[in-house]
Amino acid sequence: MPKKLHTTLVNDTHHSGIRFAKRTYLPRIVGLGTGSFCVGSVMIEHTTPVWLWLLLFLNGFIWPHIAYWKAKRSASPFNSEINNLKADAIFGGIWIAMMGFNALPSATIFAMMGMNNISAGGQRLFFRCVIAQITVAIALLLVADIPFMPETTPFQLYLCLPMIMIYPIFLGNVTYRTSRKLAEHKQAIMQISVRDGLTGLYNRRHWESLLNTELESFRRYRHKTTLVLIDIDHFKAINDNYGHSVGDQAIILLAQELQHTMRAADIIGRFGGDEFAAILPHSTELQARRAIERLQSRLDNSLFPQHPDLRIHISAGIAECDDVQETATHWLNAADHALYEAKKNGRNRVETAS
Ligand SMILES: Nc1nc2c(ncn2[C@@H]2O[C@H](COP(=O)(O)OP(=O)(O)OP(=O)(O)O)[C@@H](O)[C@H]2O)c(=O)[nH]1
């Protein structure tokens, strides 16, 4: 793999790992903060050493910041964040044991962490964390000889309510925002894959797929459909005499004028370089010729502010669809041949496929 591409991919992975840690940061603050009240509601009703209160405070209110800081500084933020989620599960197991498996707070912590893990890492992470949590809880219950106390008092129930009520709404909101962003990215990728970057018209690959669709539609409904190929005359000279950026401006201008001239139903694409193509459904070759003539006169009246002497001239080849064209390639070749004739016959003109 080329070194530059490898560096780019590594950077992308690093950034997406940091974004993952960022997404988990706020839910962890809210989840562990409200979770501390669940655990505290049980601890307060029993004699609890100061160090355990301190541990609860550290886990509930300090650990989320350490976890985020650790992931951000890690060489592999994604793996670091996955380890943080596993650490959350282990802490959860510790608190479930310390509460003697008190039913409501334990179930609340188990369910909220499970929801978080499944949304962050799918079933795999969920099951790994569940196993870690249950193992730690049972081991601690046995080793530390903690009594089994599943009954929940009304006071403990009330202190579990903040976590039960706030955390799912919060996590739901984070998940919604993430899926919105994914949908936006998908939309952007779709645009990039079908559009030409300079003009915003369809790119060649997508345009050709639409050409196939139009050919099929012609065969089924027999409505007149005409294909036009357009090429700027002496474009190389524009680049050479005025510079590449003026060349680009000329391409953009032609794209804009094409959009103004053609109908909304016409399918316009940039073939690459200074070549454009348009499919005109429900149009005869005569109507296509009139459209190109309108385009030529618009271009004659288009000025480049910094180069008032510069005008763009185009040549075009037209091919109306008929039964001779067996495939889209045949149809395209017919228009290409007509364009070649237009160039050969002196440029700045339109020729029709015979
Ligand atoms: N500015 C600019 N130039 C491009 C772009 N893509 C291709 N070109 C240039 O466009 C020129 C294409 O020229 P041709 O179509 O081969 O020839 P021409 O000068 O237009 O001559 P005729 O088509 O025979 O009239 C080449 O010099 C390419 O380098 C682009 O995106 N921007």
Side-chain angles (χ1 to χ4, degrees):
M1 189 187 294
K3 202 172 161 210
K4 201 171 163 200
L5 180 62
H6 181 256
T7 315
T8 311
L9 288 178
V10 169
N11 281 344
D12 275 1
T13 313
H14 190 84
H15 285 129
S16 70
I18 289 182
R19 280 199 298 274
F20 176 48
K22 222 179 221 171
R23 275 202 306 277
T24 322
Y25 183 40
L26 271 179
R28 183 177 279 117
I29 291 176
V30 175
L32 294 185
T34 51
S36 304
F37 290 97
C38 294
V39 180
S41 70
V42 180
M43 286 188 1
I44 207 163
E45 293 193 348
H46 300 93
T47 350
T48 305
V50 175
W51 68 264
L52 207 53
W53 280 111
L54 200 64
L55 187 64
L56 182 64
F57 176 77
L58 286 176
N59 184 217
F61 300 99
I62 309 295
W63 161 244
H65 310 290
I66 297 175
Y68 180 50
W69 176 83
K70 186 168 86 59
K72 240 173 50 172
R73 303 205 144 231
S74 161
S76 169
F78 183 83
N79 289 339
S80 173
E81 187 47 43
I82 291 289
N83 288 335
N84 289 340
L85 289 166
K86 287 179 189 163
D88 289 340
I90 290 171
F91 270 119
I94 294 175
W95 299 122
I96 288 172
M98 287 300 173
M99 293 187 292
F101 280 80
N102 189 310
L104 186 65
S106 302
T108 305
I109 288 173
F110 179 85
M112 300 300 156
M113 279 195 176
M115 186 164 70
N116 192 30
N117 291 335
I118 210 149
S119 76
Q123 287 184 7
R124 204 175 135 92
L125 181 70
F126 170 76
F127 283 120
R128 279 185 174 184
C129 289
V130 165
I131 290 168
Q133 196 167 61
I134 292 175
T135 311
V136 168
I138 293 175
L140 205 61
L141 197 76
L142 297 176
V143 171
D145 200 19
I146 302 166
F148 184 61
M149 310 172 286
E151 294 82 20
T152 302
T153 65
F155 173 72
Q156 289 160 355
L157 183 149
Y158 293 136
L159 283 198
C160 285
L161 291 183
M163 187 176 208
I164 294 172
M165 292 170 72
I166 298 173
Y167 187 66
I169 295 170
F170 209 86
L171 191 67
N173 187 38
V174 171
T175 312
Y176 170 72
R177 286 214 314 262
T178 309
S179 59
R180 274 280 303 261
K181 268 203 187 121
L182 279 177
E184 280 166 21
H185 287 169
K186 193 177 159 200
Q187 181 72 20
I189 288 168
M190 278 276 290
Q191 282 291 321
I192 291 167
S193 68
V194 302
R195 298 278 172 186
D196 166 58
L198 184 65
T199 60
L201 298 179
Y202 290 130
N203 61 26
R204 181 173 189 155
R205 193 167 45 86
H206 186 65
W207 184 90
E208 282 185 351
S209 74
L210 297 174
L211 182 67
N212 275 306
T213 313
E214 285 306 316
L215 184 61
E216 274 168 32
S217 165
F218 164 78
R219 289 206 179 115
R220 177 177 269 252
Y221 302 109
R222 313 297 302 172
H223 55 65
K224 298 272 181 201
T225 302
T226 302
L227 169 57
V228 183
L229 283 187
I230 299 160
D231 190 277
I232 302 178
D233 293 333
H234 301 300
F235 184 62
K236 190 173 175 316
I238 297 178
N239 270 338
D240 292 347
N241 297 334
Y242 297 91
H244 208 265
S245 87
V246 175
D248 281 356
Q249 281 174 38
I251 287 173
I252 293 167
L253 175 72
L254 175 53
Q256 286 169 345
E257 295 302 346
L258 257 169
Q259 283 170 305
H260 284 132
T261 312
M262 300 287 171
R263 296 185 197 140
D266 297 342
I267 301 161
I268 312 167
R270 183 180 173 207
F271 247 43
D274 60 341
E275 199 172 350
F276 293 77
I279 309 162
L280 283 62
H282 301 282
S283 301
T284 61
E285 60 180 43
L286 191 66
Q287 287 168 309
R289 180 178 279 274
R290 296 281 167 267
I292 297 301
E293 284 165 3
R294 281 200 308 277
L295 174 65
Q296 284 173 317
S297 86
R298 283 186 78 104
L299 290 171
D300 283 343
N301 294 319
S302 299
L303 287 181
F304 289 78
Q306 264 125 42
H307 304 283
D309 57 314
L310 176 60
R311 291 288 183 288
I312 302 175
H313 298 293
I314 54 164
S315 299
I318 295 177
E320 193 180 293
C321 198
D322 55 36
D323 291 317
V324 177
Q325 281 115 24
E326 286 165 18
T327 63
T329 311
H330 283 123
W331 192 9
L332 205 50
N333 284 344
D336 197 35
H337 189 72
L339 174 61
Y340 174 78
E341 289 295 314
K343 291 278 181 185
K344 203 176 75 179
N345 295 337
R347 295 182 174 80
N348 196 19
R349 54 187 291 128
V350 184
E351 294 290 349
T352 304
S354 46

